[in-house]
Amino acid sequence: MSQIHIVTDSTCDLTDAEIQEHGIHVVPLTVQIDDKTYTDRVNLQPDTFIKLLKTAKELPKSSQPSPGVFKELYDELGKDGSKIISIHMTGSMSGTYQSANQASQMTDSDVTVIDSRYIAFGLAFQLREAIRLRNAGATVEEIVAGVNRVRENTRLFVALDTLENMVKGGRIGKGKAVVSSLLNIKPVGHLDIGEVTICAKPRSYKQVVKYLMSEFEKDTQGKKVAGVAISHANAMDTLVNPLIEQVKATGYTGQVEVAYTSPVISTHTGEGAIGFIYYTE
């Protein structure tokens, strides 16, 4: 019997229970730590990765799935005429979306590939909307429109505790990192069009929380907040708990979801970083 299958990658912050309950197909990325290669969410979990990151001799490297891996899955899922919606992490940070897109052109199955333009819970929010609409009997076109609406109403901020991994990854110069370290700067960036843009340079955890909350209150004023979540790389006491307290103080009565950041993302952000994500209806 044909149906609509939903495919994503291992950087999403859906829970294992959600993935199993709704039959979501997760294609994992791989992470190489020194001389050993791990499969994300298979033999490498986000919380244990932080421990490995501390002792790694070199900055871990992540690799996207090949088009062939996606094609094999698409071929299998679509062999009975089922349609496929494949939603992935922002194409500006990984070649995963490009691999999926290439595979969609190679397979005979009916596949619609979407660049979420986000990561972590920003991707999960879109997947949940796709799940909700699919389960309600929506068409592929209606699901795509719903996913687009969620994306347009999402904000995602990244706050870094250290620039060490950004230097190792060649994303910024060592000089800037030294200056930031001396000034105790904890850069905050936003991910709006698939790329991170630095928007604030607070000098303490307290100032990070203050800035993020000012943006949250400004963005959600007069609107219904549909979801709030925080991905973190071992930052519960420094940023996560204070942020949850402040979000609740605004009158938000929903759950503030918390999860460890995917190893693929933590590799670049380093320990102590967070992603603060929310969207409105």
Side-chain angles (χ1 to χ4, degrees), residues 239-251:
L239 288 171
V240 178
N241 288 331
L243 257 179
I244 292 175
E245 182 179 339
Q246 291 298 312
V247 169
K248 293 291 186 181
T250 67

Side-chain angles (χ1 to χ4, degrees), residues 8 13 21 32 45 53 86-87 95 101 115-116 121 168 180 182 190 197 200 202 206 213 217 235 237-238 255 260:
T8 188
D13 276 345
E21 178 184 354
Q32 182 178 332
Q45 300 303 320
L53 183 62
S86 203
I87 312 175
N101 201 38
D115 183 344
S116 73
F121 280 108
K168 289 180 179 179
S180 295
L182 291 174
H190 61 79
T197 302
K206 186 176 181 179
M213 287 309 304
E217 292 178 340
D237 294 333
T238 55
Q255 177 188 5
Y260 267 94

